[in-house]
Amino acid sequence: MTTFRRPGTATKRLMFFAGGAHPELADDIAVGLGTSITPQTAHTFANGESFVRFDNSVRGCDAFVLQAHPTPINSWLMEHLIMVDALKRASAKRITVVLPFYPYGRQDKKHSGREPISARLIADLLTTAGVDRIMTVDLHTSQTQGFFNGPVDHLLAQPLLAAHVKQRYAGAEITVVAPDSGRVKLAEKWAELLGGHPIAFIQRRNALSGEHEGTNLVVGDVRGRLCVIVDDMIDTAATMAGATKLLLAEGASDVVAAATHGVLSDGATERLVHSGIREVVLTNTLPIPEDKRFPRLSVLSIAPLLARAMGEVFEGGSVTSLFEGDA
């Protein structure tokens, strides 16, 4: 717990709480904040119900509640909601949930009739539980910020990822590749971060699984160039693996994949390993266990960014300043 006293004002208390999904990230954020994780008692009943009780008083505190949402996502989401409910009922002054990976973020609109908008449902659940503010990293689409009727700090991991790629492949002839036309805007941002490189995109996503064959599947110059495929997440890795094979067949000299969230569902690691990809770059917004890691995988820590953003929120500073106005 970190306590700050300002002249003529009441004491402000920052308290940091963490669910059980990603203890390594929680520990690193606590170090960055110069505080400790508030102790809690948590267990699961025989029927799967989650229980959480905080061991210290939280009355009047500024609470930051971290939870990652890997598999099983619904269990970790429920634990997160229960933690927020406990804080609200114990009179925490302000509750900020820290969602490095926004659960159900891909379900942000209806593609056809009789479908849910689950990303909005998550925002409603957080509101009902008592959340005052959301902090998250690289939403699937920025419109999700509008689902929550309160402040949303949308942090960007692309500068961190791009800095790694820029340093490791300095001097290379790079083309930034969007895996489909919907990611062209993201590719343009990446091209700017890398120093003004050209972009390309894959015209038909079904070509990545071999469902569509033909010429002109890649729009843009990739022959003889290092292709950097960018996306917000890697789940099954079918897109990244398929794009890698397609780009190499189109004459790319090498392929690097970069994404913020490493979901890495079963089979993803094997697809990447056998795709011919040179490197996969992710952040640790989600835990990546050892059995899903491989020599060509680089995992960058998002903890410093989250700790700095939490400090700015607590002190009433500017989160936008962390991105030099690009937020």
Side-chain angles (χ1 to χ4, degrees):
M1 178 181 70
T2 300
T3 301
F4 295 86
R5 183 180 295 277
R6 296 175 176 174
T9 65
T11 300
K12 288 185 65 178
R13 287 196 304 157
L14 182 155
M15 297 184 73
F16 179 46
F17 307 84
H22 201 342
E24 295 85 1
L25 179 60
D27 289 340
D28 289 346
I29 291 173
V31 170
L33 284 171
T35 189
S36 59
I37 302 170
T38 303
Q40 64 188 39
T41 300
H43 63 261
T44 303
F45 289 104
N47 68 344
E49 292 180 8
S50 297
F51 172 85
V52 177
R53 182 185 187 276
F54 300 112
D55 298 342
N56 298 340
S57 172
V58 302
R59 184 178 298 275
C61 79
D62 202 340
F64 291 82
V65 193
L66 171 75
Q67 179 68 300
H69 296 88
T71 302
I73 187 171
N74 295 331
S75 296
W76 296 123
L77 175 60
M78 196 65 202
E79 182 186 74
H80 207 178
L81 294 169
I82 289 171
M83 292 173 70
V84 171
D85 184 72
L87 287 167
K88 191 71 174 181
R89 295 178 188 278
S91 301
K93 184 177 182 180
R94 180 174 65 168
I95 301 172
T96 300
V97 293
V98 184
L99 305 163
F101 172 72
Y102 190 97
Y104 290 85
R106 286 176 285 189
Q107 299 183 42
D108 58 349
K109 57 183 174 292
K110 293 177 67 172
H111 296 278
S112 60
R114 301 177 299 281
E115 290 185 355
I117 304 179
S118 302
R120 170 59 191 264
L121 175 61
I122 296 299
D124 290 343
L125 289 170
L126 293 169
T127 299
T128 300
V131 171
D132 299 297
R133 189 183 194 105
I134 292 175
M135 182 177 293
T136 190
V137 182
D138 285 347
L139 290 164
H140 188 63
T141 55
S142 294
Q143 72 187 42
T144 304
Q145 297 175 77
F147 294 160
F148 182 73
N149 191 24
V152 177
D153 299 302
H154 186 200
L155 308 183
L156 307 176
Q158 287 97 7
L160 172 67
L161 293 161
H164 172 89
V165 172
K166 190 174 183 179
Q167 180 181 19
R168 178 158 292 189
Y169 302 101
E173 294 291 327
I174 293 176
T175 294
V176 181
V177 179
D180 56 39
S181 58
R183 287 296 177 203
V184 168
K185 187 174 181 180
L186 176 63
E188 290 174 343
K189 178 184 287 187
W190 263 86
E192 182 180 348
L193 290 170
L194 290 175
H197 292 281
I199 70 168
F201 69 92
I202 295 170
Q203 193 171 18
R204 298 178 179 87
R205 182 177 277 266
N206 57 6
L208 304 181
S209 59
E211 295 176 14
H212 185 95
E213 297 182 359
T215 58
N216 301 322
L217 296 176
V218 180
V219 179
D221 183 18
V222 300
R223 183 168 297 277
R225 302 179 68 87
L226 172 67
C227 291
V228 180
I229 314 170
V230 297
D231 212 341
D232 64 315
M233 72 175 73
I234 300 179
D235 187 353
T236 66
T239 294
M240 287 298 186
T244 297
K245 293 175 182 178
L246 179 60
L247 291 168
L248 291 174
E250 293 284 330
S253 62
D254 237 328
V255 177
V256 172
T260 301
H261 311 295
V263 180
L264 298 183
S265 299
D266 290 343
T269 295
E270 290 74 16
R271 291 186 185 95
L272 292 169
V273 167
H274 295 107
S275 67
I277 203 163
R278 178 169 178 175
E279 184 183 14
V280 178
V281 189
L282 300 170
T283 75
N284 64 341
T285 55
L286 291 167
I288 302 176
E290 286 301 321
D291 63 348
K292 293 188 177 182
R293 298 191 179 222
F294 54 99
R296 283 170 281 172
L297 174 66
S298 298
V299 181
L300 311 181
S301 178
I302 202 73
L305 175 60
L306 287 169
R308 287 166 56 204
M310 290 161 65
E312 290 291 342
V313 169
F314 178 69
E315 290 284 12
S318 171
V319 174
T320 304
S321 66
L322 300 178
F323 308 100
E324 299 178 347
D326 184 17

